[in-house]
Amino acid sequence: MLGSSADAEDIVQEVWVRWQGYDRGKVQDPPAFLATTATRLSINVAQSARSRRETYVGPWLPEPVDTGADPALGAERGEALELAILLLLERLPPTERAAYVLREAFDYPYSQIADIVQVEEANARQLVSRARKHIAAERHASVGAAQQRRLLKAFPAAAQSGDLATLEELLAEDVVSYSDGNGIRGASRIPAEGRVRVAKYVAAFATRFWTGTSLTWVEANGQASVLVSQDGTVIALVTIAATAEGIDRLMWVMNPDKLAGISPPPPSGPSTG
């Protein structure tokens, strides 16, 4: 819902406080009470977050979720957790986003979604349908996990060497590269778009970015991702969304605050860059 662990933790804390102070005798269904309270608070925070992010420097990406520590989480929530999907959800009105998350990530019945977001059941169905259409309009059919991992594995190898031809082969024609750094050095402040432009952009900083780094495979948001570390410090998480045409979304999370929640396994060793 929020794309921020700090905001999510604040919501959980507020729900806990309300639960402690509420007359439990009036609560017929505790899980429903808690889900409703958390969702409505999240809608309020999501509405205020739009204005707060106007001061964010460069593209904003949702904070990655470490699903490697809990593989069942990624399996159960499916594509609703993918960074590319969460980025699209950010563009939806908060109530529409809430209805979609409750349905797609948690499989709530429409009657309960309606109660939570305070609409009629028919309107709840419409909210979810509208969200699905918005996402489908901006997202092509994605490849399976094995192909996504294969493309992601090939990308750093080409990027480290600045191999322009191979980079272009890996990228879809309409690829977009997002670098989320909130002004940190090395993070582009505008998305790069198009196969040729993105390939040249990646190749241009090959030596500056990759030299002296080590790569570690992790699972974030239910998908294969790569942590890039330098001198023992994680400097980026790189992941992709891909179609049959190649990588169509390239996402670099470089904001240190957003990398804190990812726990890398032992690194694979220094890169050749």
Side-chain angles (χ1 to χ4, degrees), residues 179-233:
S179 301
D180 178 337
N182 196 22
I184 195 171
R185 183 181 179 185
S188 175
R189 299 193 177 194
I190 58 173
E193 301 182 27
R195 175 185 289 147
V196 174
R197 179 172 295 179
V198 171
K200 289 182 177 178
Y201 165 74
V202 172
F205 65 80
T207 55
R208 295 197 303 273
F209 181 78
W210 299 101
T211 300
T213 61
S214 61
L215 308 181
T216 310
W217 286 92
V218 294
E219 183 185 296
N221 298 73
Q223 287 191 308
S225 304
V226 175
L227 282 182
V228 184
S229 303
Q230 192 169 59
D231 299 327
T233 300

Side-chain angles (χ1 to χ4, degrees), residues 67-68 70-81 104-105 219 221-223:
T67 50
D70 185 4
L73 176 64
E76 291 170 2
R77 301 299 176 245
E79 69 174 22
L81 262 183
E104 296 297 322
E219 183 185 296
N221 298 73
Q223 287 191 308

